[in-house]
Amino acid sequence: PALAAGAARGWHLGTGPCRLTHLLWHCSVFAQALLVASGCCGTAWARWDPRSRRLAVAVWAAALLSAIPAALVSGVAAGTACVRRSVGILAPLYLLHLALCLCLLLLLPAGLLLAALAVPRLRASGAGPAWLLLGLWAPYAAGLAGEFLLQAGLLQPTCGSFEHFDIALGLSEGLGVLHCALGPLALLLARGCRRDAGVAGGC
């Protein structure tokens, strides 16, 4: 919401709050990706015990650390715009952020889907919500990769390609934000469905 308000009315809070907003946003997204992965690959979330509490702390700590590069590469442009990248496309910190996005938002859910298809036990344990993560965040991760290839000159830009790419990247970002609301709901529904299946013998 803060970034949306800043885009509509201009960002007047300075660089610090801009970076904090990006830190919290990416931390939340990365935490959901790690939550899906940990939920699909084990039964740690079956009950709230010391083991699951330690895992929760580890998930949020890993997500927070992974979000730090996103915060550091963001900044204020032209005094009134909080942008996600205020450094060069080849800046080491941005390359680290890009690699983390690709790993957590594209490669991780894709790997979970392949594992779920290959191992019936994982499919039965609730790898289904990974489809939601992949479907909603994969376009954004792929868009970041495409933007890097264009900005770095590895793809030949055409007339209007940068403008079209900015629009596509913004739309994919909005699509991904839907996961922040739908992801937890999908996990709860999947867990309730499994519980009902255990009682009724089907779902």
Side-chain angles (χ1 to χ4, degrees), residues 90-152:
L90 297 178
L93 204 55
Y94 180 74
L95 294 178
L96 175 60
H97 167 60
L98 178 63
L100 288 168
C101 283
L102 293 178
C103 288
L104 292 174
L105 303 181
L106 189 61
L107 299 180
L108 177 62
L112 289 174
L113 292 178
L114 291 176
L117 293 174
V119 182
R121 180 180 61 82
L122 288 180
R123 188 161 57 245
S125 69
W131 285 102
L132 186 64
L133 179 70
L134 178 63
L136 295 180
W137 275 116
Y140 176 69
L144 289 179
E147 180 194 44
F148 171 78
L149 295 176
L150 281 174
Q151 294 282 355

Side-chain angles (χ1 to χ4, degrees), residues 32-88:
Q32 287 195 61
L34 294 172
L35 173 64
V36 169
S38 60
C40 292
C41 299
T43 59
W45 304 115
R47 62 184 63 187
W48 189 242
D49 55 14
R51 175 170 168 260
S52 61
R53 286 194 287 271
R54 288 193 297 270
L55 181 59
V57 172
V59 163
W60 280 100
L64 182 61
L65 289 175
S66 300
I68 290 176
L72 295 179
V73 300
S74 63
V76 176
T80 58
C82 178
V83 296
R84 59 179 175 79
R85 182 172 61 84
S86 62
V87 299

Side-chain angles (χ1 to χ4, degrees), residues 23 26 31 46 101 108 113 126 130 137 169 178-179 197:
L23 177 71
H26 284 85
C101 283
L108 177 62
L113 292 178
W137 275 116
L169 190 61
L178 288 176
H179 182 259

